Every structure is written in C-alpha cells, then in structure tokens.
Amino acid sequence: MRPTLRFFCFLSPLLFLPVPTSAQEVNATAAPAQEQKLDSVKMLQAQIDELTRMAQSGDQAAFHAALDSFEIPHAEDWITAHFAAENVAQLKQEYAGQLSGFQSHISWVLGNWENYSGFAIKVESSALSQPPAATGEETVLPKPAAPVSVENFRFQAVSSSGGPPSWVNSFALLDGKFRLVGGTCPFWNERLQGLRAKVLTVTRPKLIYSVPPIYPQDAKWMHAEGTIELRVIINADGEPRNIEVISGSPMLVDAAIDAVRQWRYQPTLLMGEPVEVTTTISVNFVLSHH
C-alpha cells in the first residue's frame, strides 16, 4: 500500500527575547567604517576559501594547519597578557572550548557538503551584541586590559545539495589573520547571553499560514521517521528569520527547514509592540500504511 504522511508541529510555550545587537568595537565607541567591513569580509572569506581548498585536496596535514590558523597565536600567553590573573585559568578553558567547537563544526560542514558541486562557505558581516553594561550584574564579567577590536561574521554553506543552517562566530584580527574569539559574543563575554535572557510566559506566536513538509523519497525508502527539533527566530513581522537544528535525522532535516521557512505567524506583542522572539518547533515525520 502507498505510505502516507502524518505531520505534527509543536511550539515551545517559552519564548526568549534576543539581545539587541549593533556593530561596534568591544570596549570602544568607534564603529568600523563600511569600507573596513567589506575588507574584513573579503579577508576572512579568503581564509575560509583556503581552508576549503585544503579540505578538498585531501591533504590532511595542510587542512589541519589551515584549521589551526584560526587560533589566537600563543593563546594562553595572549589571555594572560590581556586579563586579570584571577580570570586567566577560567578564560583559558572557555577559549579552548570555543575554539574546539568552531573547528569541529566547520570540519563537520566540510565533511558532509564539500564534495557537492557548487560548494562554498559564504561569509558576511554580522552585528555584535551590546557590550556589558556599566552597572549591575554584567560588571562582574572579565574585561580586557586594553580594547580588543572584535567583528562578528555569519557563515552560510551552500551547494547543489543545500547546506546546514547558517551560524555566527566572532573574530579578532591578530598578526595579519582573523582569529576566532567566540560565538555571537567573544569568549570573555559569553555569559552575557545567559545574563540577558528574559524568559517570558507570553502568548506563543500564532501560526497563520503553514505548509506541510515534503517527505524525502529516500527517507520513505529507508522508512526513516522521527522528530526534528528546530530553534527558530520569528521576527516582528511574524516571519521565521533564522532556523537552527537542535536534533533530528539528517535525512529529514532539510524537509523540515524548507517547510518552516514558508510559515507565517501573527506578530507577538510585548506591551503592545511587536517583538522578535525565539522559540522551538518540533516537526514529526511519521509514515503509516493503509
């Protein structure tokens, strides 16, 4: 008998307001000029392109050398020189974790998509989060002894077979190359997201238009079923702006994302004003036979 699809969608009742963002220099007031931003994007794009070429060449030693080039040179010494002694040990651990996460993720992206035609990792500038406040609990965060110019970049892998959701990392230009310094925040400010997260029991965004996912044919043949968990930012106009995969079968992820991108929501209001919210969506894929 022909299999049919039963589709379910669940929205988390907790919504998270994202931190407002603006481009700026950490611990400084001057924003980089547009020309500098364009030069920065070109420079980091060249580094990513070189990493991609090394991965596609099959030269593992050259690939790992290119991957390691994103580390702050003599990172432990750099951290020791830039931060108070009482923070150094913890910051060394946090940086090691951030670096490992970046290297593992980009290696995973390359390993899964580099051999498809048209593959590339595109780089674009992304806004920085606001620096720590001068008063309140954010003042306890470690501060560099001297200003460190940090830039955020968004990465999007593309190919003839699609690609994973985009992601953001922060970098500093050191010794002529961009070096990883964190995720959306530099590693010394990573706790900002937790300090600023506001968990609100507001009305969940109301779905006003949806399309069901198209069940991938190869997933049907393999009888692949399961739940795709997505973290979705819904903008003030009710449009899914950014979709990240939390968990789920790789065979079903793209179908879930393609469907959710087309959904539209009634804008969520806070004190009468439409706001951008982050929520989780569960997309269940179930095959049944009649």
Side-chain angles (χ1 to χ4, degrees):
M1 299 292 291
R2 184 177 182 181
T4 58
L5 164 66
R6 289 184 292 142
F7 159 69
F8 306 90
C9 167
F10 301 95
L11 289 175
S12 166
L14 294 181
L15 304 176
F16 299 84
L17 291 185
V19 179
T21 59
S22 64
Q24 59 193 357
E25 179 177 299
V26 173
N27 289 342
T29 57
Q34 185 64 27
E35 293 80 5
Q36 292 174 311
K37 285 186 179 181
L38 292 174
D39 288 344
S40 295
V41 169
K42 289 180 181 178
M43 189 172 183
L44 183 55
Q45 183 71 68
Q47 289 180 236
I48 293 296
D49 290 345
E50 177 65 14
L51 180 68
T52 301
R53 283 193 292 272
M54 294 301 99
Q56 292 173 331
S57 74
D59 186 336
Q60 288 299 305
F63 170 68
H64 286 291
L67 198 58
D68 289 341
S69 71
F70 287 96
E71 181 179 4
I72 295 173
H74 309 291
E76 293 195 354
D77 293 340
W78 187 90
I79 293 170
T80 299
H82 281 76
F83 294 92
E86 63 267 22
N87 297 318
V88 167
Q90 181 63 34
L91 289 176
K92 287 179 180 178
Q93 292 182 8
E94 291 179 0
Y95 181 66
Q98 289 284 340
L99 179 66
S100 176
F102 169 76
Q103 292 177 327
S104 295
H105 183 71
I106 204 164
S107 295
W108 174 78
V109 170
L110 288 164
N112 282 277
W113 280 278
E114 63 177 317
N115 292 321
Y116 287 105
S117 61
F119 174 80
I121 298 177
K122 303 295 185 181
V123 179
E124 63 182 35
S125 182
S126 184
L128 286 168
S129 61
Q130 295 284 358
T135 60
E137 59 185 350
E138 293 181 11
T139 60
V140 304
L141 295 174
K143 297 178 178 62
V148 179
S149 182
V150 174
E151 296 182 61
N152 270 19
F153 299 91
R154 180 172 295 279
F155 300 87
Q156 178 66 70
V158 296
S159 76
S160 60
S161 185
S166 63
W167 73 95
V168 174
N169 283 106
S170 53
F171 293 80
L173 186 60
L174 301 170
D175 293 351
K177 288 188 175 183
F178 276 107
R179 317 291 181 162
L180 180 92
V181 294
T184 54
C185 297
F187 66 94
W188 56 89
N189 284 342
E190 195 63 32
R191 285 198 293 139
L192 275 178
Q193 297 187 58
L195 292 173
R196 291 175 175 176
K198 297 177 177 66
V199 182
L200 304 176
T201 54
V202 298
T203 303
R204 69 184 63 179
K206 181 180 179 182
L207 185 63
I208 57 176
Y209 173 78
S210 66
V211 297
I214 299 174
Y215 216 118
Q217 191 61 49
D218 56 347
K220 288 183 179 180
W221 290 336
M222 298 296 293
H223 300 286
E225 299 180 319
T227 300
I228 305 299
E229 294 284 345
L230 303 173
R231 181 179 292 108
V232 182
I233 295 176
I234 300 171
N235 67 19
D237 295 323
E239 300 173 350
R241 182 176 66 81
N242 191 43
I243 303 173
E244 297 179 356
V245 178
I246 300 174
S247 63
S249 169
M251 298 183 72
L252 302 171
V253 162
D254 287 345
I257 291 175
D258 288 344
V260 171
R261 279 196 180 118
Q262 302 175 65
W263 295 3
R264 294 297 179 265
Y265 294 84
Q266 181 175 304
T268 299
L269 301 180
L270 180 65
M271 300 179 64
E273 295 293 329
V275 293
E276 183 177 86
V277 294
T278 301
T279 189
T280 56
I281 295 176
S282 298
V283 181
N284 283 1
F285 288 82
V286 181
L287 284 170
S288 62
H289 297 267
H290 298 290

